[in-house]
Amino acid sequence: MTDLVLHGYWRSSAAYRVRIALNLKGADYRQLTHDLRQGAQRSPDYLALAPHGLVPALECDGSVLIESPAILEWIDARWPSPPLLPRAIDDAAIVRAMAALIGCDIHPLNNLRVLNRLKSDLGASGDQVQSWIAHWIEQGFSALETLIARHGRGFAFGDSATLADCYLVPQVYGARRFAVDLSPYPHLTAAADAAAALEPFQNAHPDAQPDADR
């Protein structure tokens, strides 16, 4: 029997996307949580497991996987059904590009360690940090809106959830948390809301996690 342990944090977008994928596959896993606000991801015990000091990390039968893009690809290979990527290679590349717009162009610039650095090293005010967050979300979402309008048929790509939705739903959650205006992105928000209504996505929602603030 596979022993699958997800190390995460309830409000981590990267951990959120991995929870979605595991839930879509029906994988049985347990969670260990690390409070990023308290710096738990930099504890010696966790660094011995995941030397980059970030979440998520996924333990499986003695192996440790880090970085959500690699973890998601592994999940899709380990449990092929339902697939997170279309079979056609051109379509799969489009879905990967949608995911990368979030995973490479938005999320890294808006994660907690970057925001903390803006405040501590550059003295950015709350309003300046908010403007920074909104800027990078808007840049990425503008491109995604075009792609989803072109390729979506109810979801980010096509008529079922894919890797793109695993990235999109957590990023929309983050955008709404920071009160970013999403009205310019009707196709994007409709796709995100359709995916978020599915049970695997609902069960992955930050508020449904055992370490969520109550």
Side-chain angles (χ1 to χ4, degrees):
M1 181 178 179
T2 299
D3 184 24
L4 204 59
V5 181
L6 176 62
H7 295 261
Y9 171 64
W10 67 286
R11 214 157 53 189
S12 160
S13 293
Y16 188 177
R17 61 181 77 132
V18 171
R19 292 194 301 266
I20 291 170
L22 288 169
N23 292 348
L24 283 169
K25 301 293 188 175
D28 185 20
Y29 65 99
R30 56 191 175 93
Q31 297 192 66
L32 292 179
T33 62
H34 306 270
D35 194 331
L36 305 188
R37 296 167 298 186
Q38 305 300 320
Q41 73 279 17
R42 294 188 296 274
S43 71
D45 286 347
Y46 187 67
L47 289 173
L49 183 80
H52 65 334
L54 299 170
V55 298
L58 187 66
E59 288 187 87
C60 180
D61 295 338
S63 296
V64 180
L65 307 174
I66 62 172
E67 295 291 351
S68 64
I71 295 171
L72 289 164
E73 293 271 359
W74 178 88
I75 290 169
D76 202 32
R78 183 68 181 261
W79 293 279
S81 182
L84 297 180
L85 289 167
R87 185 178 298 275
I89 60 172
D90 289 358
D91 292 345
I94 292 167
V95 169
R96 285 190 173 99
M98 289 178 168
L101 273 168
I102 293 169
C104 300
D105 298 346
I106 300 175
H107 176 253
L109 291 164
N110 284 348
N111 68 15
L112 183 61
R113 61 179 178 163
V114 169
L115 302 182
N116 286 342
R117 199 71 181 261
L118 288 173
K119 290 181 277 190
S120 64
D121 286 16
L122 301 179
S125 67
D127 286 345
Q128 287 171 321
V129 170
Q130 176 67 27
S131 177
W132 172 276
I133 291 169
H135 173 78
W136 297 113
I137 290 175
E138 289 162 1
Q139 289 278 304
F141 276 13
S142 292
L144 277 166
E145 174 68 13
T146 298
L147 291 173
I148 293 171
R150 185 179 300 161
H151 299 290
R153 297 192 304 278
F155 292 85
F157 184 97
D159 58 6
S160 61
T162 67
L163 186 71
D165 301 283
C166 295
Y167 280 79
L168 179 62
V169 168
Q171 192 58 64
V172 168
Y173 166 83
R176 285 171 170 156
R177 177 184 162 216
F178 288 108
V180 176
D181 180 15
L182 297 182
S183 61
Y185 319 111
H187 295 92
L188 182 152
T189 52
D193 290 345
L198 300 177
E199 185 175 1
F201 287 79
Q202 291 178 352
N203 291 340
H205 192 282
D207 292 345
Q209 304 318 302
D211 57 329
D213 288 346
R214 305 300 181 192

